[in-house]
Amino acid sequence: MHDTGFHVPGEKRNRFASLYAKGQIAMENNEESDYRFPPRFYSGGGGMVSTALDYAKFLQMLINGGELSGLRLLKEETVQNMTRNHLEGSAFPIGINDTRDGFGFGLGFNIVTAKSDYDKDARVGEYGWGGMAITHFWVSPEDELAVITMEQTIPYTWNLERSIKGLVYEAIIE
């Protein structure tokens, strides 16, 4: 993952996508972005930039149980702990500005624990997370499937993910 980090070095800046506000022109372009400089604090919970290819490699490593291209990066047990629900009873339902029925939380990801109206097309066992600029991913271990959306707009919505998830699952031949 050579294109993932907390800032975009000068030699890669021409590939850094602009950020848009819905219905507006670019809010921030690659020559004005704060991501031109290393941050003062490296947050484990946000602030990274990446490419679709690097993101896909990360997700493939998770699907493979911690291995990518023959290289073991995480123990399989670690990936299992990351991608299973760790919440119980009174911690449900989870939510950030909303209530997410049928969703729990693993070590870094939301985990679908039950079918619900919150995300009708989600499959039990699916995990994922959303980031700024409507970047989102979900993984269905049962289907050995990872999907990444990278919209580059704010504020965050689930619209893109929700509009394609059912179509993606319908396209799978069992």
Side-chain angles (χ1 to χ4, degrees):
M1 295 177 46
H2 301 287
D3 289 322
T4 300
F6 287 94
H7 79 286
V8 180
E11 68 273 9
K12 296 181 180 184
R13 209 164 294 137
N14 65 328
R15 298 187 298 135
F16 188 53
S18 296
L19 177 63
Y20 296 85
K22 293 202 183 266
Q24 297 181 10
I25 57 172
M27 291 184 55
E28 178 181 273
N29 64 41
N30 61 9
E31 292 304 321
E32 298 168 348
S33 174
D34 288 341
Y35 285 103
R36 293 175 295 161
F37 311 106
R40 289 183 215 162
F41 176 73
Y42 293 95
S43 167
M48 292 187 79
V49 291
S50 190
T51 61
L53 181 60
D54 274 4
Y55 217 157
K57 288 177 184 177
F58 172 69
L59 297 179
Q60 187 63 57
M61 182 268 303
L62 293 175
I63 290 171
N64 294 347
E67 189 174 310
L68 183 66
S69 302
L71 180 64
R72 168 107 1 233
L73 299 166
L74 294 172
K75 291 180 181 179
E76 192 164 354
E77 179 184 8
T78 301
V79 174
Q80 290 169 355
N81 276 318
M82 291 169 67
T83 59
R84 72 174 174 84
N85 177 48
H86 290 274
L87 301 181
E88 295 180 7
S90 65
F92 281 99
I94 68 166
I96 301 171
N97 299 328
D98 55 10
T99 300
R100 299 178 187 181
D101 291 319
F103 280 71
F105 201 77
L107 302 178
F109 312 115
N110 61 305
I111 313 295
V112 179
T113 60
K115 294 294 279 176
S116 76
D117 286 336
Y118 180 76
D119 187 353
K120 294 181 280 193
D121 294 315
R123 295 190 175 183
V124 173
E126 172 187 301
Y127 59 90
W129 196 249
M132 187 176 160
I134 311 182
T135 57
H136 185 84
F137 79 89
W138 83 85
V139 173
S140 173
E142 173 187 334
D143 300 298
E144 297 183 333
L145 169 75
V147 176
I148 304 165
T149 64
M150 300 179 98
E151 192 173 310
Q152 290 309 113
T153 57
I154 57 174
Y156 191 88
T157 72
W158 296 96
N159 296 344
L160 179 58
E161 177 199 353
R162 299 278 168 82
S163 67
I164 66 171
K165 187 178 281 188
L167 298 171
V168 168
Y169 282 136
E170 283 177 19
I172 296 173
I173 298 172
E174 310 262 347

